């Protein structure tokens, strides 16, 4: 029953997908990070469906792309984008570690958060538009899998990287996580995800996986150096940046 409750908690916390209301206990959060990537799997399936539904309905490529890039926000409620914006504010404050951590907790947004978000979506639109307009079916499927892969690596980072503080939502989940079992769950999903992408295109899958790994390495270095570890906001930053970079990699391969 705890496994089912962990699934419900994962979808309740990290998506706007309706879930039943259950009586929950701390032990019910042990596997939340293991189920977290499934939200990305659903997001990718809906993104793929939208791309082709839009084509059948003769929706212009620009409109299809615009809906595509806001679809994850609709499904998740923007929780990861919020983390991205808070992290951008903190990084651009150039303050000490404590000041940066305080900015992450601040509910207000600064100018840098808005600027970086605009830049992010301009770049994301440019990359996604190329994929929507020029890519073949196999590469579009791989792009759909990027939502799944981004959450797998985000889950692995959350469970295995050092936390920056002993409070916050991420700490609440990871402090009671069944680490070994969740790591097994995430690694199995990682293998399945990459294998499915390789079945579509080995070259594109290899490029996407390599980019995801490089972003993860950058994230760990940045988080440890700037914040002393990871937080929930930083996890959202990782997810957003990895999705952008993976989509950009697919766009580059599409143009070659």
């Amino acid at each position: 029953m705890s496994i089912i409750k962990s699934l419900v908690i994962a979808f309740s916390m990290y998506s706007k997908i309706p879930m039943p209301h259950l009586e929950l206990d701390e032990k019910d959060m042990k596997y939340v990070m293991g189920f977290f990537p499934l939200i990305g799997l659903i997001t990718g399936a809906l993104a793929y469906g939208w791309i082709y539904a839009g084509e059948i309905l003769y929706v212009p490529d620009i409109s299809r792309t615009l809906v595509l890039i806001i679809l994850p926000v609709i499904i998740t409620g923007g929780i990861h984008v919020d983390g991205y914006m808070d992290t951008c504010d903190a990084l651009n404050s150039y303050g000490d570690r404590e000041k940066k951590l305080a900015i992450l907790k601040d509910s207000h947004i600064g100018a840098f958060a808005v600027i970086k978000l605009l830049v992010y979506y301009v770049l994301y639109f440019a990359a996604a538009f190329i994929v929507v307009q020029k890519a073949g079916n196999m590469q579009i499927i791989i792009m759909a899998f990027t939502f799944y892969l981004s959450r797998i690596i985000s889950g692995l980072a959350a469970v295995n990287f050092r936390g920056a503080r002993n409070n916050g939502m991420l700490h609440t989940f990871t402090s009671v996580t069944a680490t070994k079992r969740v790591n097994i769950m995430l690694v199995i999903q990682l293998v399945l995800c990459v294998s499915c992408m390789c079945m579509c295109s080995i070259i594109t899958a290899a490029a996407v996986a390599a980019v995801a790994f490089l972003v993860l390495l950058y994230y760990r270095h940045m988080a440890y150096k700037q914040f002393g570890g990871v937080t929930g906001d930083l996890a959202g930053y990782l997810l957003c940046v990895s999705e952008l970079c993976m989509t950009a990699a697919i766009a580059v391969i599409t143009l070659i």
Side-chain angles (χ1 to χ4, degrees), residues 233-251:
D233 285 319
L234 293 177
Y237 177 86
L238 168 62
L239 193 148
C240 289
V241 172
S242 63
E243 288 179 356
L244 169 61
C245 292
M246 288 189 286
T247 303
I250 297 171

Side-chain angles (χ1 to χ4, degrees), residues 11 78 130 178 213 215 227 236:
F11 276 77
I130 292 171
F213 180 69
V215 171
F227 300 92

Side-chain angles (χ1 to χ4, degrees), residues 26 102 215 255:
E26 189 176 84
V215 171
L255 292 174

Side-chain angles (χ1 to χ4, degrees), residues 13 24 36 48-50 117 157-158 167 169 178 206 239 244 246 254:
M13 292 301 301
L24 302 175
F36 169 55
Y48 179 81
W50 161 248
L117 185 66
N167 54 49
M169 186 169 69
L239 193 148
L244 169 61
M246 288 189 286
T254 299

Side-chain angles (χ1 to χ4, degrees), residues 21 72 74 96 113 125 176 180 189 192 199 211-212 217 220 232 236:
H21 294 285
I74 296 172
D96 58 23
F125 174 83
V176 297
K180 290 184 179 179
Q189 291 181 80
L192 288 173
M199 290 174 64
V211 167
L217 289 181
R220 185 183 185 278

